[in-house]
Amino acid sequence: MAKYKGIEVKGNVRQLLPHMPLIEEYREMLQSLQAVWDNLNLLGQLSGTTAEIGQTREAFASLTGDLLNNLAEQTLAKREQEMKARSQVVIDILVRNLFERTADIGFLSTDDAIRQFAAEPGDLWALQQRFQEYVRKYSVYEDLVLTDRNGRILARLQPDDRVTAIRDNWVREAVNTTDAYVESYAHSELFPEQGRSLIYAYRIKSERGETLGVLALCFRFADEMQRIFHGLALPDDPGVMVLLDGASQVISSSDPWQIPIGAELQLASGSLQRLRFAGRSYLAFASDTKGYQGYQGPGWRGLVMMPVAQAFDLHDDDTLDISEPALLASVMAGGRAFSEELRAIPLKAEAIQRDLSRAVWNGTVRQGTVSAAVNSAFSKILLREISRVGMSMREVFSRSIGNLQSTVLSSQLADSQFFAALAIDIMDRNLYERANDCRWWALDSTIRALLADCAAKGRRESLERVIGYINSLYTVYDNILLFDTEGRVQAVSNPDHGELVGEMLDAPWVDECLGLRDSQAYAVSRFDNSPLYGNRPTYIYLSAVRAPGNQQVVGGIAIVFDSAPQFSAMLNDALPREASGEPVAGSFALFIDGEARVIAASDTSYRPGQQLALLPELLRPDTNGCARLIALDGQVMAVGAAPSSGYREFKGQDDAYRNEVTALVFIPLGAYDANSRLSASAGEVAMRHTAFATDVTVREIATFHLGAHWLGLPVSSVIEAVELNGATTLANAPKQVYGAMIHRNETLPIYNLHAALGLPEPVENTGIRQQVVVVRGDDGKAFGILVDRLGEIMEVPESDIDDLSNIYVGIASVLASVVKTQPGSGQPMLVLLSVASMSEQLRGSGIAAAVDA
């Protein structure tokens, strides 16, 4: 622990508190009120008026420290979680993308046109046109380069007369490697004026296995990183997202003016750290990749850095709008969102307010029972001022506790929305590749020639050799089919589906595919059950195959996406995680279509095609997404929703394909109880002072509440109020007898007004203990009345009190009189009780004898 401006705080937040403006505001208000409190307490002690009030001083100071500590820790935890999630996504999204590149180079290095040109350079323009076709589809590449085995450039998408040969290491590595590809991030002679380039390369071999040359795919690294950074940026974000290489050097930055390329940042992964860079203090969180299908990427890390001076300015004072009180109350009652320590804070605040209210109430009662008190007027003024300060304290506590709750819950809601956005981004990026694949494979020279030549020898075997090889590289497909212009299947990549060859395809997407206008166009089936996928739902991506040398359509290619495991993996990768790396228990994610039907789910209790009934804004969120707190299957859930917006050209302005998909991520926060409510405020306890004419006789009334009923007694009959503590019930006692408790070393019988008046008993386990108003009976013996909460002390003219003894009889005779209210005042009716009646009932019940015994 450490001291911060007179308050005990935890060491991990001590240096950060000056940069948390909202917490500073609360600290100043609370300490200011505490100073006023101390002065009033001193005046009360000097006048002998408020001895009890001093007992709350230590509890108030302790709670102030607890509240500020927890608010600071939760504010820090919220920021840490945001930084951790973004740093993880920075690297994992990139690694997923680069995984696709490793498959691309493996397949393209076997392309017949490229292989033939490497063996015997011929029509350069034709090969460059083929390169352009490739990049039109796979726009993640900025250049394609073919060299001989010594680095002499044979063909290039973007020719540069200044560069005719290169000596880059990846050329030699591609010729000699035993791996499936070479991944290089270094300065390349291909781009003499650039910094480092990310290149994927592999050798081109003849059919006899002789190395003919090397093919290189040059990735749009800077462009891709800016897309990732832009997608993860927060509004008014002062932070910087960074990519570090294996030597902890910055290789990409969302803000190079703040953290420049080439800067070296030595820090560990997996924890929030303080870092000083260029004279500025930062919070920093670095994450290693989780990898994708065994691929770990180039050994890079994602990093998020936040200037400490601005780290906590991101709308931390936004209020949380929760329309149903039971949702917040249920979360506060238990679950993962709030720890025991956090749940205890509102209860402690209520206890302090209750103690303060009771002390003011008792002080006011005593002033009313001391006739001709020398300092009575001063004491009443002092008590009213203490009550006013108590109300201010309650307001500040209420606001700060509300902000603490809001910080914790908004963090959970932000997490759910962030992970939903991650899930849909993963989906869009993945399906972008599928749309590319079908169009590029439709341009394969072997496939085009064989589909055009129905009489070719070994036609089926040759076609299946090509698409089987493709399928072995691209394992996200269950099958690849080739069909002719009648829709008859000519070949399949998956031998398990060999029976499809010769069958007619009657799906509507056959005609759509065969009618595609050019090599850039593609078609996608609806997400429906398909006999091509075991009557399970999936997407089928299609492109028309054209004859060599012209645009005549000779058939089509259909790639059957292996949707079940692929979508499941995407959704599981987007689930929130515990510190151990395991998904949060009970969390799950869904993809749904525009009609609120499930496409895929990480939870097996949701089936594809199932219709969802949720809030409309979750089923069809706007482009920014949203998050809500809902009740679902007995749990309170934080639900985030994010709609598909596409990736690069996929679903872009020039893409005719449209498909409404939304990702939903559900995070459980606790069991839902529709009847749960947050504890009520301790209530305003004050002395209402009204100026009456000097000839008006007034009576001081001590009031209290039972549920919605407002009751009272003359101050002269009241001794004090105490908290119900240690009461025991008595065997065979009538219902209007609650039991007895020890008060001032004597046994005090307790009258149960709830039972006497036929009111429901108060709800237990609310965290608020009942009060006992100690009354002086007509026989001089004290007894207690069980009440829910104390009211105010008020002065009432005798003329406004009407007797009720002629109206109520029996048990209801405890109601003695009623205080008249002004018509239209909106005030509840105040009913005064009969001390004599309650005292007589206690004597008649035999409790007095039992107590005396």
Side-chain angles (χ1 to χ4, degrees), residues 418-439:
F418 177 86
F419 289 118
L422 172 61
I424 203 68
D425 187 47
I426 292 173
M427 183 191 209
D428 281 342
R429 287 167 172 271
N430 190 296
L431 299 187
Y432 158 83
E433 303 287 347
R434 313 298 61 96
N436 293 340
D437 291 346
C438 70
R439 292 180 294 169

Side-chain angles (χ1 to χ4, degrees), residues 6 158 288 711 838 840:
Q158 303 291 348
D288 297 317
L711 306 172
M838 291 184 288
E840 181 180 352

Side-chain angles (χ1 to χ4, degrees), residues 534-761:
N535 289 318
R536 294 173 296 166
T538 190
Y539 289 117
I540 298 172
Y541 287 78
L542 305 111
S543 185
V545 178
R546 289 171 164 78
N550 61 55
Q551 293 299 306
Q552 179 186 355
V553 174
V554 294
I557 184 170
I559 55 179
V560 182
F561 184 56
D562 196 4
S563 62
Q566 294 302 320
F567 282 153
S568 177
M570 295 179 203
L571 292 170
N572 276 291
D573 281 353
L575 291 177
R577 305 274 163 174
E578 301 285 8
S580 64
E582 291 298 312
V584 170
S587 64
F588 63 96
L590 307 172
F591 288 134
I592 62 171
D593 65 16
E595 298 173 357
R597 295 178 305 181
V598 173
I599 292 174
S602 65
D603 184 336
T604 55
S605 60
Y606 289 86
R607 304 177 310 279
Q610 180 179 341
Q611 195 80 31
L612 285 187
L614 292 174
L615 296 172
E617 58 265 37
L618 290 174
L619 297 177
R620 302 196 70 156
D622 62 27
T623 54
N624 296 319
C626 68
R628 295 291 184 270
L629 212 61
I630 67 167
L632 181 70
D633 297 332
Q635 285 283 320
V636 180
M637 291 279 189
V639 187
S644 169
S645 58
Y647 171 67
R648 291 185 178 269
E649 298 79 24
F650 180 63
K651 296 187 182 180
Q653 184 176 356
D654 297 329
D655 189 353
Y657 178 58
R658 290 292 180 269
N659 182 32
E660 286 188 53
V661 179
T662 296
L664 298 170
V665 172
F666 297 74
I667 305 177
L669 301 181
Y672 175 66
D673 179 0
N675 298 315
S676 182
R677 293 293 183 271
L678 294 176
S679 58
S681 169
E684 177 183 339
V685 175
M687 184 174 71
R688 184 187 297 180
H689 176 72
T690 306
F692 297 107
T694 56
D695 59 344
V696 174
T697 304
V698 298
R699 189 187 303 182
E700 282 193 318
I701 306 297
T703 72
F704 40 85
H705 298 269
L706 265 72
H709 299 271
W710 191 22
L711 306 172
L713 286 168
V715 164
S716 57
S717 299
V718 177
I719 300 174
E720 63 178 339
V722 297
E723 193 167 86
L724 178 65
N725 192 15
T728 57
T729 57
L730 300 176
N732 302 320
K735 64 179 182 179
Q736 67 268 28
V737 177
Y738 181 83
M741 61 181 285
I742 301 300
H743 176 251
R744 297 188 179 182
N745 298 322
E746 294 184 0
T747 303
L748 182 76
I750 302 174
Y751 189 81
N752 190 346
L753 267 178
H754 292 87
L757 298 178
L759 300 176
E761 293 293 330

Side-chain angles (χ1 to χ4, degrees), residues 145-149 170-171 174-175 201-204 212-216:
V145 181
L146 176 64
T147 76
D148 66 14
R149 57 183 300 152
W170 54 262
V171 176
V175 169
Y202 200 64
R203 57 182 168 268
I204 305 294
L212 302 173
V214 173
L215 179 67

Side-chain angles (χ1 to χ4, degrees), residues 74 331-332 334-339 342-343 408-409 412 668-670:
Q74 291 304 316
V331 176
M332 284 295 296
R336 65 182 300 272
F338 292 91
S339 64
L342 292 181
R343 288 197 292 271
V408 174
L409 283 181
Q412 297 291 336
L669 301 181

Side-chain angles (χ1 to χ4, degrees), residues 436-494:
N436 293 340
D437 291 346
C438 70
R439 292 180 294 169
W440 177 249
W441 298 337
L443 295 176
D444 182 86
S445 59
T446 301
I447 292 175
R448 294 173 68 181
L450 290 174
L451 273 188
D453 185 1
C454 298
K457 184 179 180 180
R459 182 169 177 258
R460 173 181 173 180
E461 292 76 10
S462 297
L463 287 172
E464 290 187 343
R465 188 180 307 115
V466 174
I467 58 178
Y469 173 69
I470 293 172
N471 210 163
S472 70
L473 290 175
Y474 295 83
T475 56
V476 297
Y477 301 116
D478 180 68
N479 196 13
I480 302 173
L481 299 91
L482 295 170
F483 55 91
D484 61 20
T485 53
E486 295 180 353
R488 191 179 303 278
V489 177
Q490 302 298 307
V492 295
S493 66
N494 188 340

